[in-house]
Amino acid sequence: MNHQWTDRLSEYLDGELMSAERDALETHLAGCAHCRDTLAELRAVVARAQSLENRAPAADLWPEIHARLTVRRRFSLTVSQLLAASIALVVLSGGGVWLALRDGSGTSDPTMAAFPQLVAPAGTPVAWRARTDMAVAQLEETLAQNESRLDTATVRVVRQNLGIIDRAIEKAQRALQADPGSAYLNLHLAQTMRRKIELLRRANALAVAES
Amino acid sequence: MLTTLATLAALTLGAVRQDRDPGSRDTTVAVQPGARLDVNNFGGEIVVRVWNQNNVRVRATHSSRSRVEVSSTAAAVMVRTAGRRGPPSIVDLELTVPAAMAMTLRGHYTDISVEGAGGSVSAESTQGDITITGGTGSVVVKAVEGDVTLSRTRGRIQVTTVEGDVRVADAVGEVVVETVDGDIFLQRMDAPSVEVSTVDGDIVYDGTIKDGGSYRISTHDGDITVGIPPSASVRVMVASFDGEFDSSFPVDVQRSGKHRFSFTIGTGKARVELETFDGDIRLRRPGEVNVRDARNRNQNRNQNRNRDEDHDY
């Protein structure tokens, strides 16, 4: 494998390489399955990010991402940054997550707080996941305080389904340990974590409505 | 529904039979064109039918412990139920409303049924089944536990539930469905955009694949079956961690990573994304999509899972 091209793949994808570089990269791609796979994953990530345009949260974070994806010859995201940005979009596409994360961020700049990967060159999906875990922990703690307001049947349903989501998260995390670079697995984990956050939010909202 | 009834029984402190001595109310109010129906019924049923009159008729059956309030303004007809003392008990509401009337229906332990709606419908119940026939412009359903069944809707559908199956049939318009533990069946759909996902359940989509359309279908643990019409022009992207892919017609697969592959039918004007972490993905021609098979497979799977859980104890 020759990884000298790996961080040029997003430039290639955006058509930003000079023709000689493009030709050289395409020659390399013909013989490098690793780079071909990475390029395909990148394409999928970009497509996914674009497909989320209509689901951006109320804070309207999409323009930030979109600008960075499309600005020519000024900024190019690495593979891990693109993936991290895409995961951020997936999880944040539930608007309430935004608030949960912002509240825990301790910063006055919500855009930067929600997208540390975009300002930190070494941003990785792993770093973002830690923030999501924190938001989940906060929501779980709130639910533990509030759930006595809910009837037992609703608590049972919520707990059972949180268990289902937790098992799904565990499986995705196990798969990721074996294949940490997989865009699909990273995005799948992000989607599943988003589902957990949404359910916790919903249960908390129901509990508040009961009081 | 059993849970709903059990919970209601608990709420009424074991005096359900005694308290079900029927009270009743039958009220008809005139409504202005464009007025909205707004119903909140803590437990029981909300049944809505339509007629060609500019009136709303409210028939309520309830115990002497409950009361029903009907009020109206130029903008809305409001129906509320409450307990005379202590917690609310069961109230069954039957409403007949103008065909085009938009409505918001809410309940806690409440089954909701709407037949023939011609306006927008918003229905929300914590525990109970929700069935809607008709609905134009927007049909929004929120539930925690209970099955959701929609048919003959025209407009955007948005369903969010936690535990229960979602069935949509003969619908025209954009569809967004999310559940955690339940199957999703979309049949005879005419949709330019579909985004459906469950964590634990099967998904079946049988409908049009429109040029320029976007169809995203994902589950964590379950099978996906999609009908692709022969005339479809579509780019299909498939991702699965542990599952098999099967198409009843030939496709030219291009693998694009360990867990992904894609292929194009025609010139790829629509976009279909299919993802299951642990399950099979099947492409079928429209006449080959068999919802009953999918349901049977899922029932078997649930039985096996319940058996496994029983053995865990």
Side-chain angles (χ1 to χ4, degrees), chain A residues 126-138:
Chain A
V126 174
W128 203 89
R129 223 177 291 148
R131 295 180 62 79
T132 310
D133 284 341
M134 195 169 70
V136 166
Q138 286 175 355

Side-chain angles (χ1 to χ4, degrees), chain A residues 47-48 151 188 194-195, chain B residues 109 178-179 195 220 271 275:
Chain A
R48 173 66 58 81
D151 64 81
H188 179 72
R194 181 183 67 80
R195 301 299 294 273
Chain B
Y109 305 102
E178 268 196 5
T179 183
E195 181 154 359
H220 174 83
R271 177 185 180 85
E275 294 186 3

